[in-house]
């Protein structure tokens, strides 16, 4: 007799989506992703039991937050805007500065960060291990009691299932359904992929991001130095990982610090070419859009919204 | 530890915490090296710390070679795999999650620049080094060879002169302007200066 926690987890991929890299040592199983989902939304991961991963990565907003900087325990503010977790399985490195190499190690950061969950893995695991259902799933998934190792593996497994690719744009582009997008949205797509706007220099591929690090001239002097914090190379000052544009209509505010509230502001910024920071990306052209073109471009970006939840774990 | 003294700048200084890693510890005899430990953690909150190595081969060892910090491969590994009691276990609170690496040295305390003052020390200093750039290999010659015979415990007492953390080669680490380091500073200036000072503060009793 099987249950919904037996056997491998069959990842549902949208048309056009490549299989994301799944570490051989971390296969997706129904038990691991179920456990990971439960842990993801469990506030007992935080010191005072008030904050879960899902507190800042809201499912209704493609697993991003609605504020510039999310609130951790004791009302503390995080350092950067919480990004969407859609398609995080495809990311070759995590965080906007790329400082963490895989999802398993990424899980440690919010739990240990004094501004987020302010806990220790050991104490969090001890608390969660009191829950019999967790022990059952942990044994099923990993053959061991719930501990810090299991927590990192299970949450990473769940996060790898958050595949975004169910938008009207996907039906239009990958399935040839011309009617899936309106004329305005199609015109926006034409603008988006034009050499004039050059958006696709970075926002390309299935995830609409090449995951490169770019300085977009948001500031002349960056309080948050971005990629430079990791590489210690001044040529990386102000560079941040190019974000996906999937579900971009749901993930405001925008930029690494959430400084831009609307897509209109973002487009205006890119149209200006950005401020002349020494590391400003050479891929940023100045361009001019009339009001209709700007509306069409925004309409296209709205068409990148998934038509149903990207959470496929029951 | 926790005792006020005057440093090279004549500042009143009190060290409240000193924890650090030593990596890739080897004994040397006439150009031959034997590895005894990949990484070791020291917490000097009680003015000293002791480790026991049972794998030092018999011989007359004349020098110690080690790195201040965590060797690169260990530093990049997933820290979740290290069990309780291991020097790299997360419970020690030495891991920088954002940089996926360990703090190598955690040097914390308080100071006042007025050397003639008598009030409480209010100014905090907190210098934490880390990232591969701060890993520094160095040698400590043993004044008399360490004789390992296999039938008794041989002892090496490493001396760490904390007053030398603030100066080396005529250069002074001035707490008035260099009191904080927590990674992320691309020049790593304070961390690198402290690293060089500490490496030169090691000796043997």
């Amino acid at each position: 007799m099987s249950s919904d926690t037996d056997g491998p987890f069959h990842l549902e991929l949208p048309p056009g989506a490549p299989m994301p890299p799944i570490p051989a040592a971390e296969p997706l199983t129904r038990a691991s992703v179920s456990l990971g989902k439960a842990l993801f939304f469990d506030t007992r991961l935080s010191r005072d039991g008030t904050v879960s991963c899902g507190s800042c990565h809201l499912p209704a907003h493609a697993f991003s937050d609605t504020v510039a900087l999310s609130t951790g325990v004791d009302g503390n503010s995080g350092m950067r805007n919480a990004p969407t977790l859609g398609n995080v399985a495809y990311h070759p490195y995590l965080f906007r500065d790329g400082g963490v190499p895989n999802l398993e190690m990424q899980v440690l950061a919010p739990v240990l960060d004094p501004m987020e969950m302010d806990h220790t893995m050991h104490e969090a695991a001890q608390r969660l291990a009191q829950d019999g259902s967790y022990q059952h799933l942990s044994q099923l998934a990993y053959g061991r009691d719930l501990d810090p190792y299991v927590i990192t593996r299970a949450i990473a497994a769940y996060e790898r299932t958050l595949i975004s690719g169910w938008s009207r744009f996907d039906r239009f582009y990958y399935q040839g359904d011309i009617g899936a997008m309106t004329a305005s949205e199609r015109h926006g797509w034409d603008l988006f992929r034009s050499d004039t706007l050059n958006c696709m220099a970075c926002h390309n591929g299935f995830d609409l991001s090449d995951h490169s690090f770019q300085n977009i001239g948001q500031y002349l002097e960056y309080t948050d130095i971005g990629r430079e914090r990791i590489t210690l190379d001044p040529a990386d000052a102000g560079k941040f990982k190019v974000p996906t544009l999937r579900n971009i209509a749901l993930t405001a505010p925008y930029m690494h610090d959430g400084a831009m509230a609307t897509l209109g502001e973002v487009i205006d910024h890119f149209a200006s070419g950005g401020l002349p920071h020494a590391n400003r990306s050479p891929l940023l052209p100045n361009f001019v859009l009339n009001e209709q073109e700007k509306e069409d471009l925004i309409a296209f970006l709205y068409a990148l919204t998934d038509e149903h939840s990207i959470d496929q774990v029951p | 530890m926790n005792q006020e003294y005057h440093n090279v700048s004549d500042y009143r200084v009190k060290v409240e915490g000193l924890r650090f890693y030593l990596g890739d510890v080897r004994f040397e005899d006439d150009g031959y090296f034997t590895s005894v430990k990949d990484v070791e953690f020291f917490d000097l909150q009680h003015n000293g710390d002791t480790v026991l190595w049972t794998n030092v081969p018999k011989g007359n060892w004349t020098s110690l070679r080690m790195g201040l910090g965590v060797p690169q491969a260990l530093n990049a590994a997933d820290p979740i795999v290290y069990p309780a009691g291991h020097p790299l276990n997360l419970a020690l609170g030495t891991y920088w999650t954002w940089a996926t690496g360990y703090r190598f040295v955690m040097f914390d305390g308080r100071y006042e620049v007025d050397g003639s003052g008598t009030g409480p020390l209010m100014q905090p200093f907190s210098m934490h080094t880390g990232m591969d750039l701060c890993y520094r290999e160095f040698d400590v010659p043993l004044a008399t060879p360490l004789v390992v015979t296999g039938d008794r415990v041989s002892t090496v007492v490493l001396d760490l002169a904390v007053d030398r953390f603030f100066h080396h080669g005529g250069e002074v680490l001035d707490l008035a302007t260099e009191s904080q380091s927590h990674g992320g500073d691309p020049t790593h200036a304070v961390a690198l200066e402290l690293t060089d000072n500490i490496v030169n503060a090691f000796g043997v009793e």
Side-chain angles (χ1 to χ4, degrees):
Chain A
M1 190 173 75
S2 68
S3 74
D4 57 5
T5 53
D6 286 341
F9 181 83
H10 297 291
L11 191 63
E12 190 176 0
L13 293 176
M19 175 60 77
I22 308 288
E26 310 297 342
L28 301 181
T29 66
R30 296 172 79 180
S32 69
V33 301
S34 294
L35 176 59
K37 179 173 181 176
L39 291 168
F40 186 91
F41 291 104
D42 197 321
T43 57
R44 288 175 290 182
L45 272 176
S46 63
R47 173 175 51 76
D48 62 0
T50 61
V51 178
S52 73
C53 308
S55 300
C56 309
H57 295 283
L58 306 167
H61 293 271
F63 291 81
S64 71
D65 208 346
T66 58
V67 295
L69 302 177
S70 302
T71 303
V73 299
D74 299 333
N76 292 324
S77 282
M79 178 179 167
R80 294 178 181 145
N81 180 249
T84 174
L85 298 185
N87 289 342
V88 74
Y90 297 100
H91 290 214
Y93 24 69
L94 286 307
F95 287 153
R96 293 181 185 272
D97 58 24
V100 177
N102 57 57
L103 282 168
E104 283 78 10
M105 292 170 78
Q106 187 277 333
V107 170
L108 300 173
V111 177
L112 302 183
D113 188 337
M115 309 307 283
E116 298 185 48
M117 296 183 183
D118 192 28
H119 214 182
T120 70
M121 290 301 295
H122 179 69
E123 290 170 356
Q126 273 193 325
R127 186 190 294 176
L128 293 164
Q130 305 300 314
D131 189 322
S133 63
Y134 280 155
Q135 292 292 26
H136 175 68
L137 283 172
S138 182
Q139 285 291 344
L140 270 179
Y142 299 102
R144 59 197 284 174
D145 285 344
L146 189 86
D147 62 9
Y149 177 90
V150 168
I151 291 172
T152 60
R153 268 55 194 171
I155 292 178
Y158 171 60
E159 290 173 331
R160 288 195 176 97
T161 68
L162 301 174
I163 304 296
S164 168
W166 310 99
S167 69
R168 289 187 294 104
F169 168 75
D170 290 295
R171 281 199 278 132
F172 165 83
Y173 187 76
Y174 289 109
Q175 300 181 58
D177 181 357
I178 302 299
M181 293 214 301
T182 66
S184 170
E185 290 163 350
R186 291 197 301 269
H187 185 225
W189 163 236
D190 288 339
L191 290 167
F192 180 82
R193 61 181 175 161
S194 69
D195 290 341
T196 306
L197 271 63
N198 207 31
C199 307
M200 292 193 76
C202 300
H203 292 288
N204 56 48
F206 176 74
D207 196 29
L208 292 166
S209 168
D210 64 2
H211 305 126
S212 64
F213 298 98
Q214 303 291 338
N215 179 317
I216 60 164
Q218 188 180 350
Y219 301 108
L220 286 176
E221 290 188 23
Y222 283 78
T223 306
D224 180 347
I225 56 178
R227 181 68 176 160
E228 184 187 24
R229 189 178 187 218
I230 302 303
T231 65
L232 308 178
D233 183 350
D236 286 333
K239 290 184 179 177
F240 295 89
K241 186 170 66 176
V242 173
T244 180
L245 294 185
R246 291 188 168 279
N247 290 304
I248 195 72
L250 300 177
T251 61
Y254 305 106
M255 304 306 175
H256 70 277
D257 54 358
M260 297 188 192
T262 66
L263 288 172
E265 279 183 68
V266 173
I267 291 171
D268 288 345
H269 170 80
F270 282 110
S272 75
L275 296 168
H277 188 283
N279 296 335
R280 190 183 69 94
S281 173
L283 301 171
L284 296 178
N286 296 80
F287 58 83
V288 176
L289 295 179
N290 62 37
E291 280 306 308
Q292 184 59 54
E293 289 170 328
K294 186 174 173 182
E295 283 181 25
D296 292 345
L297 183 56
I298 291 174
F300 161 69
L301 294 172
Y302 270 71
L304 297 173
T305 304
D306 283 296
E307 295 185 281
H308 59 71
S309 169
I310 62 173
D311 185 356
Q312 50 185 286
V313 177
Chain B
M1 196 71 65
N2 289 307
Q3 291 185 336
E4 184 179 319
Y5 81 106
H6 289 234
N7 78 352
V8 66
S9 304
D10 196 29
Y11 297 166
R12 297 162 59 215
V13 174
K14 182 170 68 176
V15 177
E16 297 177 333
L18 176 54
R19 301 185 293 162
F20 59 90
Y21 283 101
L22 293 179
D24 196 13
V25 182
R26 288 161 283 172
F27 280 101
E28 188 238 342
D29 176 21
D30 197 22
Y32 171 76
F33 290 90
T34 184
S35 294
V36 295
K37 190 70 178 178
D38 54 357
V39 67
E40 201 72 83
F41 180 68
F42 295 87
D43 184 344
L44 304 192
Q45 62 173 319
H46 301 300
N47 296 319
D49 204 351
T50 303
V51 295
L52 178 67
W53 297 319
T54 58
N55 59 338
V56 184
K58 295 176 184 176
N60 295 338
W61 303 102
T62 58
S63 181
L64 258 176
R65 175 169 292 181
M66 50 204 170
L68 181 63
V70 179
Q72 186 174 20
L74 290 175
N75 199 33
D78 187 342
I80 208 74
V81 301
Y82 300 114
H86 191 282
L88 299 178
N89 183 269
L90 281 170
L92 289 171
T94 56
Y95 193 70
W96 271 336
T97 55
W98 59 271
T100 56
Y102 289 84
R103 297 172 177 91
F104 293 170
V105 174
M106 288 140 281
F107 183 44
D108 299 278
R110 296 179 184 280
Y111 73 100
E112 286 291 340
V113 296
D114 180 3
S116 61
T118 56
L121 305 181
M122 301 302 291
Q123 303 300 323
F125 69 85
S126 181
M127 289 177 270
H128 297 180
T129 74
M131 307 182 86
D132 295 335
L133 189 67
C134 282
Y135 185 79
R136 190 78 78 254
E137 194 171 82
F138 64 104
D139 294 308
V140 179
L142 305 179
T144 56
L146 175 74
V147 180
V148 178
T149 60
D151 57 2
R152 63 182 176 82
V153 175
S154 304
T155 303
V156 174
V157 179
L158 280 178
D159 181 57
L160 191 52
V162 175
D163 59 324
R164 291 171 65 177
F165 283 24
F166 297 106
H167 66 102
H168 172 63
E171 297 291 324
V172 173
L173 193 160
D174 186 348
L175 283 175
T177 55
E178 302 170 300
S179 65
Q180 300 290 322
S181 180
H182 295 281
D185 167 16
T187 69
H188 253 47
V190 176
L192 289 170
E193 188 176 358
L194 180 66
T195 296
D196 289 337
N197 292 355
I198 293 176
V199 164
N200 285 285
F202 273 97
V204 289
E205 287 187 353

